[in-house]
Amino acid sequence: MLPPANRLRREQEFSAVYRKGIRRNSRHLTLRALRHSNKAGSAQQQTDLQSLPATCIGISISLKVSKRSVVRNRIKRQIRAALRQMLPRLSPGWNLVIVVRPTAQECNYGEFLQELEQLLVEAEVLNGN
């Protein structure tokens, strides 16, 4: 599981990411990302970096991926494990939704890890550490 501070829970949070967020695609996954608005000027940007909320993540997987809940839950567990590994390298202040495509059924953990890292780098959410 992801830590409670890093979970998207409410439908309103998911909807906001879908409406206003950026989209990055790969073969098996789609990343939707929305940065929290930072109303302060650039002079206070470094001090505000610590005050930004933790990056929150949600995973969306539909019945199109598989009708069997066992398969869908296995995919979610693999994606969560990959995200947990990258959590210290994520920039704070983002809301992320990982949308799983139907082709993800044939993926393994290594492929999920690689695709997630690529998508997060493209969206500039992942630090270079």
Side-chain angles (χ1 to χ4, degrees):
M1 288 296 256
L2 290 170
N6 295 105
R7 296 182 205 161
L8 273 186
R9 289 191 186 92
R10 297 191 327 232
E11 183 182 345
Q12 298 158 338
E13 296 169 332
F14 277 86
S15 296
V17 174
Y18 282 118
R19 267 194 327 272
K20 303 174 196 168
I22 60 172
R23 182 184 351 187
R24 298 292 180 262
N25 297 310
S26 70
R27 186 168 174 224
H28 304 294
L29 303 170
T30 299
L31 172 72
R32 299 279 195 140
L34 179 65
R35 184 182 277 289
H36 290 279
S37 60
N38 190 2
K39 299 196 170 42
S42 60
Q44 291 184 346
Q45 202 167 21
Q46 286 187 353
T47 58
D48 287 340
L49 199 57
Q50 287 90 18
S51 67
L52 284 173
T55 294
C56 295
I57 303 166
I59 300 171
S60 173
I61 182 166
S62 73
L63 286 171
K64 291 179 185 178
V65 175
S66 175
K67 300 258 187 259
R68 298 176 55 214
S69 62
V70 174
V71 174
R72 293 192 311 272
N73 289 333
R74 179 182 49 81
I75 292 170
K76 280 195 287 189
R77 281 193 308 273
Q78 289 177 336
I79 292 173
R80 267 193 234 115
L83 286 167
R84 199 175 322 113
Q85 204 173 39
M86 290 183 234
L87 213 49
R89 296 172 36 203
L90 292 179
S91 300
W94 286 88
N95 281 349
L96 307 174
V97 175
I98 310 294
V99 182
V100 180
R101 293 179 168 196
T103 58
Q105 199 169 352
E106 60 216 30
C107 253
N108 62 22
Y109 176 76
E111 291 173 308
F112 283 132
L113 189 62
Q114 183 180 9
E115 282 194 24
L116 278 171
E117 192 164 346
Q118 173 195 348
L119 289 171
L120 291 169
V121 167
E122 283 179 21
E124 298 175 1
V125 177
L126 193 66
N127 292 334
N129 300 354

